[in-house]
């Protein structure tokens, strides 16, 4: 009744929030890292200090640097679940003109298969496991549980948005979310193996799925291995603020130790790559994550010997 009670303390900001900010806060509270998009549905440009990556980029970007800019600079890398940042003075002007909200899928342990048009949608319906679906202007977002490397145009009209990427928030969609199928991972694997004049050293073959076709000498059931893996990945992904690298080491060591009694091979590299992906999804630079996981597996094998 008495909307205008005089008890007004700091957080009684009841003026209507801009829609985008409102959605952003709701998503953030559900653990989805968000950022504002400007007109044209792209991130706000970098501030003068960050222009051309003069700041050195943010710590969880590919070229990891010391940037701690309070503005929403560096596209997907600005995405956060921290309501203090989202409602900060630095972000306020952006929300006032924001055209949309974006989120960082891998930061929410998700992968979005972005189907641009009717043909792409038809292909997905014929090929992929059904999951949570969000309609877009001309196509659909198919949202899966799990993270992977992002890649554009893996097929005509199909982009994969997960690690180091943002995508538009267009509502919760409908349908039960399912695990990222290997058919989706394979789209990027295929892209990786096509010779494109790229250096060979940088990336390992991406995130294969563990099963007995690769782990021919493992005495465990797939269920046992997957459960251990998922538990470990959850621990790494929970370290959104700090410590994900050392957690990745610990998880790799734990997973390695599970196979101490197996005759082998147990395809521990395959498990390790999932741990790397989880660490990268919460901002650990990939080279560091690779090292932490390799060291963890080595430590486990050392103990087994
Ligand atoms: Zn900046
Ligand atoms: Zn910067
Ligand atoms: Zn084993």
């Amino acid at each position: 009744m008495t909307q205008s009670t005089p008890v007004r303390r700091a957080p009684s900001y009841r003026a209507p929030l801009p829609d985008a900010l409102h959605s952003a806060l709701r998503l953030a509270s559900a653990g989805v890292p968000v950022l504002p998009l400007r007109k044209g549905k792209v991130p706000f440009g970098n501030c003068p200090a960050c222009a051309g990556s003069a700041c050195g980029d943010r710590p969880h970007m590919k070229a990891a640097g010391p940037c701690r800019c309070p503005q929403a600079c560096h596209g997907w890398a600005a995405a956060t679940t921290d309501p203090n940042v989202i409602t900060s003075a630095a972000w306020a002007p952006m929300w006032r003109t924001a055209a949309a909200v974006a989120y960082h899928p891998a930061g929410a342990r998700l992968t979005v298969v972005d189907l641009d048009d009717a043909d792409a949608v038809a292909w997905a319906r014929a090929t992929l496991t059904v999951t949570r679906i969000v309609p877009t202007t001309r196509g659909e977002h198919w949202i899966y549980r799990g993270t992977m490397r992002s890649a554009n145009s893996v097929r005509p009209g199909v982009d994969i948005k997960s690690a180091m990427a943002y995508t538009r928030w267009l509502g919760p969609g409908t349908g039960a979310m399912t695990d990222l199928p290997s058919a989706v991972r394979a789209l990027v694997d295929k892209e990786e193996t096509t010779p494109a004049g790229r250096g060979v050293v940088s990336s390992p073959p991406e995130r294969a799925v563990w099963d007995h076709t690769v782990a021919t000498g493992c005495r465990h059931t797939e269920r046992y291995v997957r459960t251990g893996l998922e538990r470990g990945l959850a621990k790494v992904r929970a370290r959104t603020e700090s410590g994900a690298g050392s957690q990745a080491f610990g998880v790799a060591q734990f997973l390695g130790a599970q196979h101490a009694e197996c005759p082998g091979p147990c395809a521990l590299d395959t498990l390790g790559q999932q741990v790397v992906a989880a660490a990268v999804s919460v901002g650990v630079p990939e080279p560091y994550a690779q090292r932490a996981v390799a060291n963890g597996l080595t430590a486990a094998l050392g103990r087994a010997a």
Side-chain angles (χ1 to χ4, degrees), residues 25-179:
L25 287 170
R26 217 160 11 88
L27 285 169
S29 70
V32 178
V34 290
L35 70 150
L37 296 183
R38 61 183 165 90
K39 284 199 183 63
K41 314 286 163 35
V42 292
F44 284 81
N46 288 354
C47 73
C50 294
S53 294
C55 58
D57 286 351
R58 295 192 191 272
H60 54 301
M61 294 173 69
K62 197 160 203 170
C67 174
R68 299 177 59 89
C69 182
Q71 315 276 328
C73 298
H74 304 294
W76 71 269
T80 180
T81 55
D82 185 344
N84 296 320
V85 174
I86 296 166
T87 60
S88 66
W91 283 37
M94 289 180 268
W95 290 122
R96 280 197 289 273
T97 58
V101 181
Y103 64 105
H104 170 39
R109 280 94 62 199
L110 300 174
T111 293
V112 177
V113 179
D114 184 1
L115 306 159
D116 278 341
D117 52 36
D119 287 349
V121 169
W123 165 81
R125 289 208 179 116
T127 317
L128 302 182
T129 318
V130 172
T131 186
R132 172 81 54 89
I133 295 174
V134 181
T136 64
T137 319
R138 283 168 297 127
E140 290 175 353
H141 283 176
W142 285 34
I143 305 180
Y144 290 103
R145 205 163 31 221
T147 61
M148 61 182 287
R149 196 168 71 81
S150 299
N152 287 330
S153 304
V154 292
R155 288 181 50 85
V158 181
D159 298 334
I160 308 291
K161 315 275 183 144
S162 186
M164 298 193 174
Y166 71 91
T167 193
R168 265 185 81 187
W169 169 255
L170 293 160
T174 51
M177 203 178 289
T178 56
D179 288 338

Side-chain angles (χ1 to χ4, degrees), residues 182 185 189 205-211 214 269-271 273-274:
S182 50
R185 296 185 187 278
D189 288 347
E206 204 69 14
R207 330 295 183 216
V209 174
W210 191 98
D211 63 28
V214 286
D269 286 353
T270 305
L271 298 177
Q273 286 312 307
Q274 309 244 16

Side-chain angles (χ1 to χ4, degrees), residues 218-264:
C218 185
R219 69 183 175 92
H220 297 298
T221 61
E222 284 190 28
R223 190 190 167 81
Y224 174 90
V225 173
R226 291 245 168 85
T227 304
L229 176 65
E230 282 309 320
R231 210 165 280 166
L233 296 181
K235 280 187 187 164
V236 174
R237 289 168 186 148
R239 297 296 195 111
T240 51
E241 296 304 323
S242 66
S246 51
Q247 185 67 261
F249 172 90
V251 166
Q253 188 175 21
F254 168 79
L255 293 176
Q258 285 190 324
H259 299 270
E261 309 290 322
C262 295

